[in-house]
Every structure is written in C-alpha cells, then in structure tokens.
Amino acid sequence: MKTQKTTVGTIDEEVLAFTAGRDVELDVNLIQADCIGTAAHVTMLSRMKPAIITADERKQVIGELKKIIELADEGKFKIRLADQDVHLAVERTLTEKLGDLGKKIHTCRSRNDQVAVDLRLFAREELLGAIEEAVALAAALLKFGRKHQKVPMVGRTHMQPGMPSSVGLWASAHAESLLDDCVLLVNAYELNDQCPLGSAASYGVPLEINRELTSDLLGFRCPVHNVLYANNSRGKNESIILSAMSQVMLTLSRMAQDLMLFTMPEFGYFTLPDELTTGSSIMPQKKNPDVIELVRARASKVKACELAVYDLIKGSPTGYNRDLQDAKEFFMDGVATTRACLRVLSPFIEAVEVNKQALIDGFRPDVFATDRALELVGEGMPFRDAYHYVKENIGELESIDPRKAIEQKTHLGAPMGIDWALFKERVAAVNAIVREQRKMIDRTVNKLFAEK
C-alpha cells in the first residue's frame, strides 16, 4: 500500500485519488473565490477581541493572497493531488510563505463552509454573466423583431397554418420569454446572495466570531442565519440556479427548433449566415445549422445537470455528506453550457436574413378564416354562424393581402400592438441590476484587498 502525506493526514494513494475526484481540475475555477473568502475571514479574525491574527499579520496574508490570484490569472497556480482541493492548496501555499501564520488561517472555519462560500462567490459572477448574456440576446431579438415587425408570417398551431402573424411577433415572443427567464436568474441571484462563512462544519464555533462582518466584507446581502442550514443549503442552492438556467435553455431550445424549421428550403422564411453554419465532409453544397441543433441538444444536458444535483441531495441526511462533492461538476457544467449557448446565439440572430416574399407566399386563403369570421361577428352575425359560413366559403378569402391582415391587429400584444418601449424598459432594468451589483462587488473586493 502506497500512502501520501497531506495537510489533513496520511492517506492511501488510491483512496486519495478516489476521494479527490475531479476537484483538482474543477477547483481551478474557484481559486480567486477562495482567496477572496480567505481575505474576508482573516480580516474578521484580526478584528476579534482578543484578535486571532494581528493587523500586521493580516496584511501579510492579504499580500500573499494577491500573489496567488496573480499566479492563477497567469495559469501558474497549481492544485496538487496531495492538496485534494483549492482550499488546502491555498493554505499550503500560505504556510510555505508565512510559516506558522499560514497555519492560523483555518481557525473557526471548515472546508464545508469554505467551499460553500467559494461556490456562492463563483455563482454570483456566473449569474451576473448569464443575466447579462440573456438580456443581450433578448435585445438582439427585439431589434430583429422591430426591424421586421410589418413582415407577415403564418402563425401556426399543431405546426399547421393557423392565423396571420408577423416576424415581429415571433421574435418578440422569444425575447419576452428570455426577459422572464432573467427574472428567474435574478431571483436565483438573490437567494445565492447570502454568506455561509463562519458556520464551520455546520454547528458553529465556541469563539465569538463576527459572521455579519464577514458577510459585509464579501458584499453579500446578509449571512445565512442558521449555521446548520448554511451547509444544508449547499446543493439546494446549486439546484435552484440550475433550475433557472434550464428555463433559459428551454427558451433557447424552442427558438432553435423554430429556426431549424423556418430555414428549411421547404419554408425558406429565414436564411442562416454562412459563417455561422458548417459544411459536410461529403456534400459540397451543405450549410448545416449545427449551432442551433447543439443548442437544442444542450437544453437536455443542462436539465440533466439540474436533476443530477437534485438527485444527489434529495436523500442526504442533515449535515455535510461527501456526495455533495459530485454536485460541483454538474453545477459548473450546466452553468457554462447555458452561458455558451447564450453567447453563440446573439450574433446568430443579428445575422439571420428574412426572406419577405417566401413569408408572404406561405399564406393560403384558409389562414385568414378566423379573422374573417370575427369580422362578420363585428357586423352582427353570431360567432358560430360566422364560423360555419367561413368554413364553407374559404374561396372568398383568396384576395386578402397578408400585410393588410396584420395591420388590423392593433390591440395590446398583437402584431401591430407590440409595446416596444415596454420591452426596452425591461431590458434597461435588467442591465441596471447587473451594473449595480458589479459596482458593489468591485467596490467591496477592492476595499478588502486595499493596502490601507
């Protein structure tokens, strides 16, 4: 049996590799968060009475944490297998540089609350990025829709021709869905915006630490109050975030499906840009919609990540269980996949070409049947009589112009009743939330690492 000496004891090498899992790779994403969390923790320790760490010692630790962040930015900070994770890698490095002072930094905390705060700091940045990207795609759809708001488009139910619609209505429908998804992302952000640090291994510590101070130093809205729930919320928090991400992907998948249908030669409503499609290894003429096919597929992947995390925690007893370690990969993968899909689709929408004549040619007389029946109702005929009259006299509708048909639909939310100003306000409101939160985070982190 081969063993490996680690910060927390000597471990069989095979057991070490098995229990570390993919943390050595995944925790690269948490290096900055771990350093920020450690900076707040040692600052709090330096303000205790009596202080665990002096003001001068705090300054030394902050200086070394800055160097670790710089090395991480350059891809030079290494997490070793013997470290097991980013937390012990940072502690090892501080101990190598600062001796006994480095051994003090873990006072009054556990890797349980340490990883919990790291993931919340990581999630904070990822959520803001996802909100920013989702609202950017919504804005691109609204710009596209407003540009083509007067272009008729057959509205479908059961995938069959139904009623006169427009390109503007189609695009703004997906935009409004994304704006609703932004509400879910913001709600997830607010739930995430609570600090678990100081809960230690779930049961608090016998020293008079200041959890409110740590929370404020990190720019969180408040601490998670109950120390046991602070750790029980791990996994649940990630599941909530992935749930919001999966709703974003649901919107993207439905839009992708539409684009695949409407760019088929049999429809020809839209044309995809050459530079955003791919070719075939055997068929020279092909322009494959690989991007939107993969978006559709990856909606299932994100939902699977959400369900995987849910499944890992649904039977977990109260208190920390190592099962949670495996939730990290699903969480990071689901978030990264969602953000990649959002980023790739914005330029896609901006470059889609609208083929007006193909859209107009898609209208048949029966598409106007419902509108004509309602016109007859407006002239005094009972609806059911109008319904049967039109059904029996579809031929009378052959001369209707689709452009004039959609001009009649002016009520709220109809093709010619879309409140573009309202959508603009919603986009601006979401962007304002992101700007405000980014400023707050920059301000608090810069203050935490300031020399004075």
Side-chain angles (χ1 to χ4, degrees), residues 110-335:
S110 163
R111 280 189 291 174
N112 295 357
D113 62 336
Q114 201 174 351
V115 67
V117 79
D118 285 6
L119 285 168
R120 285 183 183 248
L121 290 168
F122 171 80
R124 183 165 74 176
E125 290 298 325
E126 294 297 315
L127 278 164
L128 287 177
I131 294 167
E132 210 165 33
E133 289 151 3
V135 81
L137 178 55
L141 282 161
L142 291 169
K143 183 179 178 181
F144 177 85
R146 190 163 193 177
K147 180 180 178 181
H148 303 291
Q149 64 179 314
K150 294 183 179 180
V151 179
M153 181 180 193
V154 174
R156 296 172 183 275
T157 63
H158 307 276
M159 291 189 67
Q160 302 302 310
M163 296 175 69
S165 181
S166 68
V167 173
L169 191 73
W170 174 85
S172 59
H174 290 298
E176 188 168 2
S177 182
L178 271 172
L179 289 170
D180 279 355
D181 295 334
C182 286
V183 175
L184 292 174
L185 292 171
V186 169
N187 287 341
Y189 182 90
E190 290 172 351
L191 286 171
N192 180 77
D193 196 19
Q194 303 175 80
C195 184
L197 200 57
S199 57
S202 302
Y203 304 102
V205 295
L207 299 181
E208 198 61 33
I209 60 172
N210 188 339
R211 294 190 60 224
E212 292 90 346
L213 173 61
T214 308
S215 178
D216 291 344
L217 289 169
L218 292 171
F220 282 106
R221 177 169 53 87
C222 63
V224 180
H225 180 78
N226 184 291
V227 292
L228 180 54
Y229 177 61
N231 281 298
N232 269 6
S233 67
R234 184 164 167 221
K236 178 183 174 77
N237 190 55
E238 290 92 301
S239 180
I240 289 167
I241 293 168
L242 287 172
S243 177
M245 296 286 174
S246 71
Q247 289 299 317
V248 173
M249 292 303 298
L250 180 62
T251 298
L252 301 189
S253 182
R254 295 188 75 179
M255 181 173 67
Q257 179 66 64
D258 281 355
L259 287 169
M260 274 182 271
L261 289 171
F262 297 150
T263 54
M264 290 171 60
E266 292 82 357
F267 280 93
Y269 292 172
F270 302 144
T271 301
L272 299 178
D274 289 353
E275 66 274 15
L276 298 178
T277 59
T278 59
S280 163
S281 63
I282 189 172
M283 295 172 281
Q285 83 285 6
K286 291 300 294 293
K287 285 172 52 178
N288 297 323
D290 287 357
V291 168
I292 46 181
E293 287 173 341
L294 288 171
V295 167
R296 183 177 60 178
R298 287 172 188 173
S300 297
K301 179 182 179 181
V302 174
K303 190 65 179 179
C305 288
E306 177 201 341
L307 293 174
V309 173
Y310 179 94
D311 232 28
L312 279 170
I313 63 172
K314 68 176 174 58
S316 295
T318 296
Y320 177 77
N321 300 276
R322 193 65 179 258
D323 310 45
L324 282 170
Q325 178 181 346
D326 282 359
K328 187 187 295 179
E329 182 174 0
F330 294 122
F331 176 57
M332 290 182 173
D333 196 7
V335 170

Side-chain angles (χ1 to χ4, degrees), residues 30-42:
L30 300 178
I31 296 170
Q32 185 180 82
D34 200 75
C35 289
I36 292 170
T38 298
H41 185 67
V42 297

